[in-house]
Amino acid sequence: MSKQIAVWFQTVKTNTGTDVFTERLVNGLNEIGIRAEITWLPLRAEYAPWTVPIPQPPEWATIAHVNTWLHSRFLPKQIPVIATLHHSIHDPTLQPYKGFARSAYHRWWIAPNERRVMQKADRVVAVSHFAAKIAQEILTDVPMNVIYNGVDTTIFRPPVETGKRHNPFRLVYIGNWKKLKGVDLLAPIMRELGDEFELSYTGGPAAKAERLHPPSNMHDLGRLKGPDEVVAALQSADALLFPSRSEGFPLGAVEAMACGLPVITAQVSSMPEVVENNISGMLCPSEDIESLVAACRILMDDVPKYAFMTKSARDRVLKDLTIESMVEK
């Protein structure tokens, strides 16, 4: 008699979106009656794996789940392994934004390990078609299933009063303060937009360290603590301004769309897989400040179009970007 499916998650605690993904998937599996538990490894397991004892699979586990950054020494041999690829960091277009040390780390440490993990895993899952494409071109051409990350639409939801825009028109940027995310474009965009717009952004110490001198229509939210603060920031805005240069999967954009926010972003990497141009958001040429400014003005000026996009953004998430959809797939 075969054992019931039960999934053991072995993952490094990084305090990033991969932790959130793991916790959401584990909770979702347990809710539908599939036992799932996490064994957290310390951060040093990523860069000094030989200093961390190798955990053994629990007796109840029939499948192991890892992400592709987990060092291959931790892969169990007793049960099948599913490996999830969360990123597209090996995209050659990202090279100018990495710096020498990070670039070397990715090329000489992460890439060889990911290649081993993907080749040893019984199944490989990528979080977007773009992430799968980059991995197959740069790492190893193994078959991959694409399963989009999902959000909890009971938490990430529009405010009670929907469709009412603010004056000034409120933009929000939520994400890490990194040039890769296009944060250097935010101030030029807001200078062009002027006092008819305002932008709240998650800059915090990283932005201050750059001695950022933003225009008066930009307001630093600092670091948001937990989903409640993220939802509050999204629900008080009219649109997400997200000029990122590359995303393996734009979870922040999906969370904003779940709250009924159109997304103003660049037509790069995985963004077109999530944001439908002129339906759930506005896709602009990468780094094109003029186009991004024009998109913001369209959303402010065209009331019917804005109303259509707020509903379409939420509908796009409900269609196939929910936690339930992710867990099922």
Side-chain angles (χ1 to χ4, degrees), residues 60-117:
W60 51 262
T62 61
I63 297 172
H65 181 282
V66 303
N67 78 57
T68 56
W69 277 46
L70 184 71
H71 195 273
S72 58
R73 80 187 294 266
F74 295 110
L75 295 181
K77 297 180 175 61
Q78 306 94 317
I79 54 177
V81 174
I82 298 173
T84 294
L85 172 79
H86 285 280
H87 64 83
S88 54
I89 61 162
H90 305 299
D91 181 358
T93 64
L94 302 185
Q95 194 64 32
Y97 308 106
K98 288 186 179 183
F100 175 79
R102 186 177 296 273
S103 178
Y105 182 65
H106 288 165
R107 181 176 181 182
W108 301 112
W109 181 252
I110 295 299
N113 180 71
E114 284 196 289
R115 195 172 289 116
R116 289 192 297 270
V117 170

Side-chain angles (χ1 to χ4, degrees), residues 37-56:
E37 294 180 12
I38 306 170
T39 295
W40 294 106
L41 300 178
L43 185 57
R44 72 177 189 277
E46 178 184 307
Y47 54 83
W50 53 89
T51 68
V52 178
I54 301 175
Q56 294 305 305

